[in-house]
Amino acid sequence: QSALTQPASVSGSPGQSIAISCTGTSSNIGYYNYVSWYQLHPGKAPKLMIYDVSNRPSGVSNRFSGSKSGNTASLTISVLQAEDEADYYCASYGNRGVFGTGTKVTVL
Amino acid sequence: EVQLVESGGDLVQPGGSLRLSCGTSRFPFTTYWMNWVRHVPGKGLEWVANINQDGSVKNYVDSVKGRFTISRDNAKKSLYLQMNSLRVEDTAVYYCASDLGYLQFDYWGQGTLVTVSS
């Protein structure tokens, strides 16, 4: 069972901003700055969106941003677009990592 | 463009075996830790195993220890997962993924489906 907890679903209208939380412990998110976020579209390879808490890989839109406070990390998607509808998973290095429980993002 | 391509997934009975392969191209395979990650239908992602650059260090999630073996062939730029004593709960799409560092996965394949059912 994952030690990283995410909300099951988050929704927003096009153009809005949403945030997805990922709550861990002082042994993973709270201790290490190695939090990453992944986007999963059905039938496609998972895509790395954020690494090292807040870094974006080349080619990822700057509408995606990451942050961390204490034992909780967050992924914010600004100016929500239809193509952002997908499942999102956080991950963290540390005790009882790796992946979060996953969040389904719906664009209304 | 970097490519990771998994193969070997199939329908197998409980207790059976499968060997998954992951071929790579346009990718600095020998410089990366490599991983297998699985996605259970309707459920979440689960890290399964990883291996260091020269194959001397291997790690596994507890649920597959003693049943699965990860390996690599740097000359062929390929990653493998030997799966024995398969269980229904091993049913998943299996992905190979490269490790950017500290279990952060930058390149992924498209996955291969393993179904364990009688």
Side-chain angles (χ1 to χ4, degrees):
Chain A
Q1 197 76 355
S2 174
L4 305 181
T5 302
Q6 300 177 230
S9 62
V10 173
S11 62
S13 299
Q16 287 186 329
S17 292
I18 61 169
I20 304 168
S21 61
C22 173
T23 302
T25 71
S26 58
S27 298
N28 42 60
I29 293 177
Y31 192 82
Y32 296 99
N33 287 323
Y34 300 122
V35 178
S36 51
W37 290 89
Y38 304 87
Q39 179 189 64
L40 271 71
H41 280 118
K44 295 182 68 175
K47 181 179 180 181
L48 175 67
M49 306 303 287
I50 296 288
Y51 68 97
D52 291 351
V53 176
S54 60
N55 290 335
R56 269 189 315 275
S58 174
V60 172
S61 170
N62 60 8
R63 297 186 298 104
F64 291 84
S65 61
S67 62
K68 186 185 88 166
S69 177
N71 296 338
T72 298
S74 297
L75 174 71
T76 299
I77 309 174
S78 59
V79 194
L80 198 62
Q81 298 179 0
E83 67 206 47
D84 300 332
E85 186 161 293
D87 293 332
Y88 292 83
Y89 288 85
C90 64
S92 176
Y93 188 73
N95 188 33
R96 296 196 65 214
V98 170
F99 290 103
T101 50
T103 299
K104 180 174 182 59
V105 168
T106 301
V107 181
L108 302 172
Chain B
E1 182 184 351
V2 169
Q3 281 197 323
L4 281 67
V5 180
E6 302 92 339
S7 60
D10 204 347
L11 171 63
V12 61
Q13 292 188 340
S17 297
L18 276 179
R19 188 191 193 212
L20 305 184
S21 299
C22 172
T24 69
S25 59
R26 294 180 287 280
F27 174 68
F29 182 77
T30 60
T31 68
Y32 270 88
W33 278 74
M34 293 296 295
N35 299 261
W36 287 99
V37 175
R38 64 188 178 185
H39 188 197
V40 178
K43 295 189 177 181
L45 292 171
E46 180 179 42
W47 171 81
V48 174
N50 66 3
I51 186 169
N52 73 336
Q53 289 87 341
D54 67 6
S56 61
V57 178
K58 304 174 184 181
N59 300 293
Y60 302 90
V61 68
D62 285 348
S63 59
V64 309
K65 284 180 181 176
R67 301 188 299 122
F68 290 10
T69 303
I70 189 172
S71 63
R72 64 192 295 161
D73 184 331
N74 284 344
K76 295 182 177 179
K77 298 185 179 180
S78 294
L79 178 72
Y80 306 100
L81 186 67
Q82 178 66 43
M83 304 188 295
N84 298 330
S85 302
L86 281 161
R87 304 169 181 170
V88 171
E89 55 265 34
D90 295 320
T91 295
V93 176
Y94 284 74
Y95 298 98
C96 65
S98 57
D99 199 323
L100 178 62
Y102 299 97
L103 296 178
Q104 301 179 106
F105 312 107
D106 52 353
Y107 295 109
W108 297 68
Q110 295 276 5
T112 187
L113 176 62
V114 172
T115 303
V116 185
S117 175
S118 54

